[in-house]
C-alpha cells in the first residue's frame, strides 16, 4: 500500500535557509511571505494531498481516462477533487495578484509541486500545464490576450496545454508541419496534428487553452520559421463568455504503463482560430518560457515520486520479515529493516531525496529572484 | 508496432557448433536429431510464433485475464491458440517418448523457449511451468504418479504450477506455514495460502497440477522441515479420468504492469488432497529440480524479450527521421539509423543478445549432456 505523509518539517528547514538571502530579501512583494504564513500554507497543502489527492493516483490507474464519442472523461472522483482544488485557490499560488493570484514565490510552489507529484501525479498534470501556459502568456502576449485569458486560468476554470510534438517530429522541432494561415482580421487558421498532448482534452474545466507551435505561410524552413499561437478549445465571446467550439478535436488518447488518470491526447487542428503570441517566426523563443519551467517541474515530479517510493519502502521494511540479520539474537526471522543492506538502501534513497529537494528548492528560489529583477529591468 | 522474425539462421549456426561436441555425440538418443530435422522444427516454430503467438502479447495486455466467480478467464484468442499449440505437440518437444514426448535435447528447446518469449511471454507462461512440473515429477515421483500424470502433462491437456511463496515468505522458504496432515491411506490434506502462482488458475487445460511446498506435522523448523506435494485442481479417478474438484480455490489475481495475459494467482488450499513427492522433509531438494530449470528459462525469457526489443528498435530506426547526421549531404533530416550513436546502441543490443543466446544454448546443451549421464549413472 502506498504511504505518504508530506515532509513539511524538512521543507520548512529549507525555506528558512533559502529566505536568508540578500537578493531575496530585497524583493518587496515577498516581504509578507513569512515563515509562519508558509508553514500554514504547507500544512494545509499536506492535508489536501494526504487526504484527498493520494487516493486518486490508484483510482486513476484502475479506472483510466476514457475516450469516447470524441471526448475524454476523467476517472471517478477527479471532478469533485478538482472543484475543491480550485475553490481553495491552489492553482493560483504563485500567480500575479493582478490576475487573481496569491503572489507566492516559486520557492513555495516547489514544495507544493513536490507534494502533488508525491500524492497523485496524474491529478497534478491537469493544473501543471496551466501554470506553464500562464507564464508563457504573461511573458509574451498582448495586454488584451492577458486580460481575456489569465484571470480564468489563474482561477482554474480554464486549463492550458503545450502543443509541440507531431507524428513526424519529437524534439527536432524544425520538422513541424502545422500551418497557420493569416485572416484579414489578424487572427490565424491553424491546421495540423499534435501528439502526446498532456491534458489535451478532459472534462474538468470549462475551456482548454492550447499553446501551439505552427508555421505561417512562406515561413523560413527549420526552427527559424516557427511561430506560437494561442488556440482555445472554445472561442471566447467579446464579453469574455464561452463561445462556439473551435476547430480542435481529440482523435485518441495514448495507451500508457502508468499515470493512466492523465490523458496524453492526439489533437487534430482543422482551421482552428488562433492568436499569435510574441513575434512571428520567434515562436520557439516564446515557448521556451513554458518549456524551461516544465523542465524544472518535471525534475520535481521525480523528486515527489521518489519521496513516496521511499516512504512506502520504509513502511514495508517495518512489516516484512525475511532471513536473520547479523545482530539477530533470538533465532527468529527479522524484520527486513534489521538487515544492514536494507538500511543502506533506505538511507541512500533518503539522502538522494534530501539532496534533490534542496537542489530544486534552490533552483526555484533563484527563479523567484531572477524573474523579479528581470521584470524590474524591463521597466527601466 | 512490435516487430519479430525468429532468428533461425543464428540459432542453426549455434546448433551446428554445439552439436560438434564429443560428449553430446556419445548420446545415443540424440543421434537422429540431425541439423536438417532441427532446421525443420525451428522453421515450423518460427511460423507459429510469428503468425499465431505474436499478436497474443498485445491482445493479452489490452484484455487482461479476468477473475470472476472464483475462476480465471484467459484473454480472447488464447484458448484457440493453446488448442492448436498442443495439437501440434509443442509442449512435448523435450519430453521422454515413454510418456508421449518427442525426446528433443534441451539445446533445441532453448531456441524454442526464446521464440516463445519473443512472441508472447504471457502465452508462453501457461506451458512453461508444465515443463518444470514434468521434470520434477519425472525425477522424484513414484512410477504410479508418473504414469498417472506425465502423459497428460506431456500432451498439454493438463498444466503445472510451482507453489512456493506465501504472504509471509518469499525466498526465505524456511517460513512456510502451509500444513500437510497425513491420512490413513497415505495421502495428505494440504491447507494454507500461496501467492504469485503463475498460471495458478485458467481455462486452457482440463486440469492443473500444483507442486506445493508444505510442512508435515511435527516437521523440524526451517527449511529442513519442508516436503513437496502434488495437488491436482481436480482429483483423478482410478481409471485416469477427471474426478471431483479438489480443495484448491483461486482467491484473486495480482494487478500487474505487463504480461497481463498471464494470471499470477493467490491460491487457497483447504484440506486439498495431496501426494508426497520424494522423501519427507526433503521437499526443497526435489523442488530445486524445477527451480533450477526455471532459473535458466527465466534467463531465456530476458533473451527473447531483448530480441523483440532489438528488432522493433531496428525497424523504428529505419522509419523515424530526426536531426542531421555527421554524414548528412543533402541538408534534409536523416533517418535516425544514420546517427552514429543510434547505430552504436543497436550494435550494442545485437552483440549482447548474440552473447546471451550462445550462453543459454550452451547451458542447455550442457544440461542435455549432464541429464543423460546422470540418468545413466543412477542405473549403475
Amino acid at each position: 500500500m502506498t504511504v505518504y505523509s508530506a515532509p513539511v518539517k524538512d521543507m520548512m528547514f529549507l525555506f528558512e535557509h533559502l529566505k536568508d538571502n540578500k537578493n531575496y530579501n530585497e524583493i518587496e512583494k515577498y516581504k509578507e511571505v513569512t515563515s509562519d504564513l508558509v508553514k500554514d500554507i504547507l500544512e494545509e497543502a499536506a492535508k489536501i494531498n494526504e487526504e484527498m489527492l493520494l487516493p486518486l493516483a490508484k483510482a486513476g490507474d484502475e479506472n483510466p481516462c476514457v475516450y469516447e464519442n470524441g471526448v475524454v472523461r476523467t476517472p471517478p472522483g477527479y471532478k469533485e477533487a478538482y472543484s475543491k482544488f480550485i475553490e481553495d485557490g491552489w492553482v493560483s499560488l504563485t500567480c500575479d495578484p493582478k490576475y487573481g493570484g496569491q503572489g507566492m514565490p516559486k520557492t513555495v510552489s516547489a514544495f507544493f509541486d513536490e507534494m502533488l507529484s508525491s500524492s497523485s501525479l496524474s491529478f497534478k498534470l491537469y493544473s501543471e500545464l496551466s501554470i506553464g501556459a500562464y507564464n508563457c502568456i504573461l511573458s509574451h502576449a498582448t495586454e488584451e490576450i492577458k486580460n481575456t485569458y489569465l484571470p480564468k486560468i489563474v482561477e482554474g476554470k480554464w486549463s492550458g496545454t503545450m502543443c509541440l510534438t507531431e507524428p513526424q517530429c519529437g524534439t527536432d522541432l524544425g520538422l513541424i508541419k502545422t500551418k497557420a494561415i493569416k485572416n484579414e482580421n489578424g487572427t490565424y487558421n491553424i491546421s495540423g496534428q499534435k501528439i502526446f498532448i498532456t491534458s489535451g482534452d478532459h472534462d474538468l474545466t470549462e475551456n482548454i487553452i492550447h499553446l501551439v507551435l505552427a508555421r505561417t505561410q512562406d515561413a523560413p524552413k527549420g526552427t527559424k520559421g516557427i511561430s506560437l499561437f494561442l488556440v482555445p478549445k472554445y472561442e471566447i465571446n467579446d464579453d469574455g463568455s464561452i463561445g462556439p467550439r473551435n476547430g480542435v478535436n481529440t482523435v485518441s488518447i495514448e495507451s500508457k504503463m502508468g499515470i493512466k488518470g492523465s490523458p496524453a491526447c492526439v489533437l487534430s487542428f482543422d482551421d482552428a482560430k488562433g492568436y499569435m503570441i510574441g513575434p512571428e517566426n520567434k515562436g520557439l523563443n516564446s515557448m521556451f518560457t513554458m518549456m524551461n519551467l516544465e523542465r524544472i517541474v518535471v525534475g520535481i515530479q521525480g523528486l515527489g515520486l521518489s519521496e513516496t517510493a521511499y516512504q512506502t519502502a520504509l513502511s514495508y521494511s517495518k512489516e516484512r520479515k525475511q532471513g536473520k540479520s547479523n545482530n539477530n539474537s533470538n533465532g527468529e526471522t527479522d524484520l527486513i529493516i534489521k538487515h544492514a543492506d536494507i538500511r543502506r538502501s533506505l538511507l541512500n534513497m533518503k539522502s538522494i531525496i534530501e539532496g534533490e529537494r534542496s537542489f530544486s528548492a534552490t533552483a526555484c528560489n533563484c527563479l523567484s529572484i531572477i524573474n523579479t529583477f528581470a521584470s524590474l529591468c524591463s521597466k527601466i
Side-chain angles (χ1 to χ4, degrees), chain A:
Chain A
M1 214 193 97
T2 306
V3 170
Y4 180 65
S5 164
V8 175
K9 209 177 134 196
D10 290 3
M11 290 169 171
M12 283 310 299
F13 171 81
L14 280 172
F15 182 74
E16 294 287 350
H17 172 73
L18 288 169
K19 135 177 120 60
D20 189 17
N21 171 300
K22 187 175 163 291
N23 290 322
Y24 181 83
N25 278 321
E26 280 178 12
I27 305 176
E28 196 54 38
K29 63 181 172 182
Y30 296 149
K31 290 244 191 303
E32 284 173 25
V33 184
T34 62
S35 295
D36 282 350
L37 175 62
V38 172
K39 195 166 170 238
D40 284 351
I41 292 173
L42 294 184
E43 279 174 353
E44 210 47 50
K47 222 157 82 183
I48 206 169
N49 276 284
E50 293 164 11
E51 292 168 14
M52 187 174 81
L53 303 185
L54 186 59
L56 296 184
K58 196 174 183 208
D61 282 338
E62 288 179 348
N63 307 281
C65 286
V66 175
Y67 170 75
E68 53 182 15
N69 305 325
V71 298
V72 175
R73 297 186 201 292
T74 51
Y78 276 53
K79 253 189 201 167
E80 297 73 9
Y82 188 80
S83 289
K84 171 84 176 134
F85 188 75
I86 64 171
E87 194 183 299
D88 291 355
W90 291 111
V91 173
S92 68
L93 203 59
T94 59
C95 299
D96 193 331
K98 183 177 167 188
Y99 300 106
Q102 297 174 56
M104 285 294 129
K106 292 234 178 294
T107 329
V108 174
S109 68
F111 300 134
F112 184 57
D113 276 332
E114 178 192 326
M115 289 188 200
L116 289 175
S117 306
S118 287
S119 63
S120 173
L121 185 53
S122 48
F123 180 83
K124 179 194 196 312
L125 288 169
Y126 289 100
S127 57
E128 181 173 311
L129 280 296
S130 301
I131 299 302
Y134 162 86
N135 277 283
C136 185
I137 295 169
L138 185 72
S139 303
H140 304 289
T142 61
E143 286 304 313
E144 192 190 339
I145 296 252
K146 285 195 226 182
N147 291 330
T148 307
Y149 291 90
L150 292 187
K152 288 291 191 177
I153 293 177
V154 169
E155 201 185 346
K157 296 269 185 190
W158 299 355
S159 61
T161 77
M162 179 167 136
C163 301
L164 284 66
T165 307
E166 297 182 5
Q168 81 290 349
C169 93
T171 49
D172 190 354
L173 293 168
L175 297 177
I176 278 178
K177 283 186 190 163
T178 298
K179 278 185 186 153
I181 312 284
K182 193 165 188 174
N183 298 313
E184 284 185 6
N185 64 1
T187 64
Y188 288 79
N189 277 12
I190 313 289
S191 298
Q193 199 178 71
K194 295 288 181 179
I195 62 171
F196 303 150
I197 307 308
T198 301
S199 314
D201 191 25
H202 57 82
D203 52 11
L204 299 186
T205 56
E206 294 165 3
N207 205 354
I208 300 177
I209 312 306
H210 305 289
L211 291 182
V212 184
L213 292 183
R215 295 182 179 285
T216 52
Q217 280 170 297
D218 308 321
K221 277 183 117 180
T223 52
K224 288 174 186 164
I226 295 175
S227 303
L228 175 62
F229 299 88
L230 182 156
V231 183
K233 175 176 170 181
Y234 290 97
E235 296 186 34
I236 312 301
N237 296 324
D238 288 341
D239 64 355
S241 62
I242 298 280
R245 183 76 192 246
N246 201 355
V248 190
N249 287 296
T250 309
V251 178
S252 63
I253 58 177
E254 305 286 341
S255 305
K256 297 199 288 189
M257 290 286 282
I259 50 169
K260 296 184 182 180
S262 158
C265 301
V266 176
L267 296 182
S268 172
F269 294 82
D270 305 294
D271 281 332
K273 197 171 172 184
Y275 306 88
M276 191 180 279
I277 304 283
E280 189 167 352
N281 295 334
K282 298 281 183 194
L284 212 49
N285 302 34
S286 312
M287 188 56 115
F288 261 107
T289 302
M290 187 168 187
M291 285 163 74
N292 282 336
L293 188 71
E294 282 307 318
R295 283 165 170 171
I296 293 176
V297 180
V298 167
I300 295 179
Q301 289 178 12
L303 161 64
L305 291 170
S306 307
E307 176 67 32
T308 306
Y310 166 69
Q311 290 192 26
T312 304
L314 179 65
S315 155
Y316 185 68
S317 74
K318 292 176 182 172
E319 64 184 49
R320 178 74 185 183
K321 289 179 175 180
Q322 177 103 334
K324 294 184 188 68
S325 71
N326 288 343
N327 296 323
N328 182 281
S329 52
N330 59 6
E332 298 292 322
T333 307
D334 277 313
L335 288 168
I336 60 172
I337 198 172
K338 297 275 184 187
H339 294 285
D341 198 49
I342 298 285
R343 298 172 86 86
R344 189 197 54 75
S345 292
L346 288 168
L347 285 166
N348 190 34
M349 289 170 88
K350 189 174 161 65
S351 45
I352 289 175
I353 288 166
E354 293 191 358
E356 284 174 343
R357 183 176 298 123
S358 309
F359 183 62
S360 60
T362 305
C364 287
N365 202 51
C366 289
L367 217 56
S368 305
I369 298 168
I370 292 165
N371 285 349
T372 306
F373 287 105
S375 77
L376 287 177
C377 291
S378 72
K379 282 178 192 160
I380 297 172

